[in-house]
Amino acid sequence: MTTTICYPHTTDLASDDYLVVGLATCFIKDDDGVHEVNVVEPIPSAALEAIVKGIPTSYKVATATTIGSVIPGEALRLPECFPSDAQFCDDFVFRATASARTYKARSIAQSHIPTGTTREDFNFSTERKRVLNSQRIVKTEDNVKQHEYTHKVL
């Protein structure tokens, strides 16, 4: 028997629905520099299919589980194969339910990592760092100088 998850707008999901959760290497920038942090994120089916094909990714490991084992109730449960210092991403529950729906819509993607198994053979790379707290600050000096006739009809 399956139970539905207590989260708004998830009447279509049951606790035994397939979900892939990845351990990503991200970075946080502060006054002391850039620091590495392990983040637990749900991986949607399209992203998993691209990662399996060999694109560079920040995911070290991914585990296939069920949404009910990661979100058993009000609190989140870290997968056993992940380090204890890993932290869940922002909006994890919302993103996990959205990701679980992608595997329901494209069930063929579930064959990449069978439920209960872990996969680590990704093209792991931190060449392009994922900085979580980066801000884009636009300055006046960033504006491109245009010719004086750019917006005039000649």
Side-chain angles (χ1 to χ4, degrees), residues 133-147:
N133 60 343
S134 67
Q135 296 178 351
R136 293 185 186 259
I137 300 171
V138 179
K139 300 176 186 164
T140 314
E141 300 85 45
D142 296 334
N143 288 337
V144 176
K145 304 292 184 205
Q146 296 181 345
H147 194 273

Side-chain angles (χ1 to χ4, degrees), residues 16 106 128:
D16 64 345
R106 185 153 171 80
R128 295 184 63 198

Side-chain angles (χ1 to χ4, degrees), residues 49-68:
E49 289 179 336
I51 292 167
V52 168
K53 288 183 180 178
I55 66 161
T57 182
S58 63
Y59 291 107
K60 292 180 187 175
V61 62
T63 185
T65 185
T66 61
I67 194 164

